[in-house]
Amino acid sequence: MQHHLTVRHGDIIEVSRRPADFCSGQGALWVNDLSPEFNEFFGSIINLDSPRHLQLRRIVAAAFTPRTLRRLDYDIQRTAAATVAAAALRGDIDIVADLAAPFPLTVICDLVGIPESHRASVQTVSNVIVSGGDPDFVPHQQDPVNAFLDAGASLADLATDLAEQRRRRPTDDLLTALVQAEVDGIHLTTREISSFFVLLAFAGQETTRNAISLGIWTLHNNRHARDAWVADFERMHPTAVDEILRYTTPVATMRRTATRDTTLNGHRLAKGDKILLFYAAANRDEQVFREPDRLDLTRAPNSHLAFGGPGPHFCLGAQLARAEIIAIFREAFRQLPELTITGEPEFLRSISVNGIKRLSARARPLP
Ligand code: HEM
């Protein structure tokens, strides 16, 4: 068995469009194979193939209805305003701890229906899941694999409890929608709900957090682009948000497994070979993007692969993530026009996730 690294935009698109040849079911999230216990908690749609993937995706997509998201759209702007206002009061802040992390955490917890009392622990365990074993998040004495499993188990336990509560007493959150969702007479089992919840808790949170912190750092290093966006925010945000996603690529890699002997761009692959989709490289492919290393907030078209390639696993939360990024930048520019970065970022040590752990700044609010 060999590992192959796909770095070209066109090759990643082809792999994403051929799920029968390049499957996700043997693990899509990590570079290495993981033991079967992992599927207990991490076996949700991102690590499944059709027909089960399609069935489950239709059910969960039914819970992500425009109505649910419209209701949330209002909350997103209000939550962004409150997060930035709280950071403004602090003066000296950490961009990650005070802005980029709490905002998507609050949005996903509001959306899913996670009570206040559980939010800090949801953040701690999802940090472990996407840490890639970074020692800042995995305690020194603990084996990273056990740390992942413990984190998954604690999120799954919480989901099981909350799903039971929603069955007894429905509310208007995503968890209730998941409990009630039905496509062709099929409902999700409690186990399916809890592993989807685990997926949402980290996929819906850490990715957006890293897009925001890396976006702030990128704009700090590109003052002209930032100033132009501030001057014409509403007109530029549709292209600006996608350029930030291309430039920062918070999910650096995903994995596929060849289901048979096949070829890709003239290379031979054997059944069982692993293919790493290196989105971060594809998003700087000079055959597709003019001046790929330049941040151009007006870039259009912008066929970046930050949310994955065109295929059955394309990110379910792409629209929500875009709405969150736009909302937080709108508020940061409005309430903190003199936000000044005062340190160097500490980057996450992970092959799969591009992220920042800490970045200090001074937030001077409007007088
Ligand atoms: C900037 C933020 C985000 C980025 C960069 C991102 C990126 C990705 C990527 C690369 C994939 C995998 C595509 C593939 O395997 O082909 C994915 C899948 C997924 N994402 Fe996101 N994501 C983001 C935000 C979100 C949010 C906010 C949610 C939910 C609230 C979410 C939920 C999901 C789900 C459920 C999947 C699995 C879809 C499937 O397998 O059918 N993501 N995302």
Side-chain angles (χ1 to χ4, degrees):
M1 186 260 286
Q2 289 191 321
H3 280 82
H4 306 264
L5 192 59
T6 44
V7 294
R8 285 286 175 200
H9 191 270
D11 291 345
I12 293 186
I13 288 192
E14 184 173 345
V15 171
S16 306
R17 282 194 174 135
R18 290 170 53 193
D21 295 336
F22 302 110
C23 74
S24 297
Q26 294 180 40
L29 285 173
W30 282 279
V31 176
N32 301 324
D33 272 340
L34 297 174
S35 63
E37 303 119 273
F38 272 83
N39 280 338
E40 179 79 21
F41 316 119
F42 300 109
S44 190
I45 55 172
I46 209 159
N47 287 325
L48 281 181
D49 298 313
S50 279
R52 196 61 189 140
H53 172 261
L54 188 62
Q55 282 170 345
L56 288 187
R57 174 136 179 160
R58 285 175 64 202
I59 299 175
V60 296
F64 266 77
T65 57
R67 194 173 143 267
T68 316
L69 294 181
R70 253 202 316 278
R71 182 176 62 77
L72 196 78
D73 213 30
Y74 165 68
D75 289 346
I76 286 176
Q77 200 56 57
R78 209 178 47 181
T79 306
T83 310
V84 175
L89 289 177
R90 290 200 181 93
D92 285 328
I93 61 166
D94 173 7
I95 291 289
V96 179
D98 295 314
L99 274 181
F103 173 55
L105 175 75
T106 307
V107 171
I108 199 73
C109 290
D110 284 349
L111 173 65
V112 175
I114 301 172
E116 270 315 314
S117 51
H118 291 285
R119 295 188 178 193
S121 72
V122 168
Q123 184 166 9
T124 308
V125 293
S126 35
N127 272 341
V128 173
I129 292 170
V130 296
S131 66
D134 188 300
D136 266 10
F137 297 106
V138 176
H140 284 306
Q141 317 79 340
Q142 206 177 3
D143 172 42
V145 172
N146 289 335
F148 290 146
L149 281 173
D150 287 353
S154 92
L155 279 180
D157 286 349
L158 174 62
T160 306
D161 283 355
L162 293 176
E164 280 312 313
Q165 288 174 22
R166 295 307 188 277
R167 278 206 175 91
R168 286 198 301 273
R169 199 174 313 142
T171 56
D172 66 346
D173 54 29
L174 184 57
L175 204 55
T176 304
L178 287 172
V179 168
Q180 294 176 340
E182 181 200 315
V183 172
D184 300 336
I186 305 173
H187 284 91
L188 292 173
T189 63
T190 300
R191 186 174 153 182
E192 285 163 345
I193 291 176
S194 69
S195 68
F196 185 61
F197 175 96
V198 174
L199 176 60
L200 281 186
F202 69 88
Q205 196 210 136
E206 303 283 349
T207 49
T208 314
R209 166 213 295 209
N210 290 325
I212 294 168
S213 58
L214 289 166
I216 290 175
W217 173 242
T218 300
L219 292 183
H220 166 75
N221 292 319
N222 291 271
R223 289 304 291 191
H224 290 308
R226 179 201 171 275
D227 292 348
W229 192 13
V230 171
D232 203 357
F233 186 85
E234 298 305 329
R235 197 179 61 82
M236 269 174 76
H237 74 61
T239 52
V241 68
D242 276 291
E243 178 67 347
I244 285 182
L245 285 160
R246 179 192 75 86
Y247 198 84
T248 63
T249 315
V251 176
T253 62
M254 296 290 283
R255 197 185 81 161
R256 298 291 189 268
T257 304
T259 57
R260 61 183 182 87
D261 293 352
T262 184
T263 56
L264 176 66
N265 192 9
H267 296 275
R268 287 151 78 122
L269 284 82
K271 181 176 176 179
D273 279 0
K274 306 297 176 193
I275 300 101
L276 279 187
L277 309 177
F278 211 155
Y279 302 125
N283 280 345
R284 301 284 178 104
D285 187 338
E286 69 285 355
Q287 291 173 358
V288 177
F289 302 103
R290 249 188 59 201
E291 295 186 76
D293 292 329
R294 190 165 75 84
L295 181 81
D296 173 4
L297 296 179
T298 62
R299 192 182 290 274
N302 188 344
S303 56
H304 69 79
L305 302 178
F307 292 122
H313 292 279
F314 184 80
C315 177
L316 193 65
Q319 281 311 97
L320 177 62
R322 285 192 179 97
E324 288 183 54
I325 296 165
I326 292 167
I328 199 83
F329 276 101
R330 183 186 281 122
E331 286 304 324
F333 292 159
R334 195 176 66 77
Q335 294 189 48
L336 303 173
E338 292 181 41
L339 181 75
T340 312
I341 301 298
T342 52
E344 288 289 312
E346 256 185 76
F347 291 102
L348 192 67
R349 282 163 53 191
S350 160
I351 184 171
S352 340
V353 178
N354 282 326
I356 293 181
K357 291 190 283 190
R358 277 176 280 276
L359 176 60
S360 52
R362 169 141 320 143
R364 278 206 206 89
L366 281 175

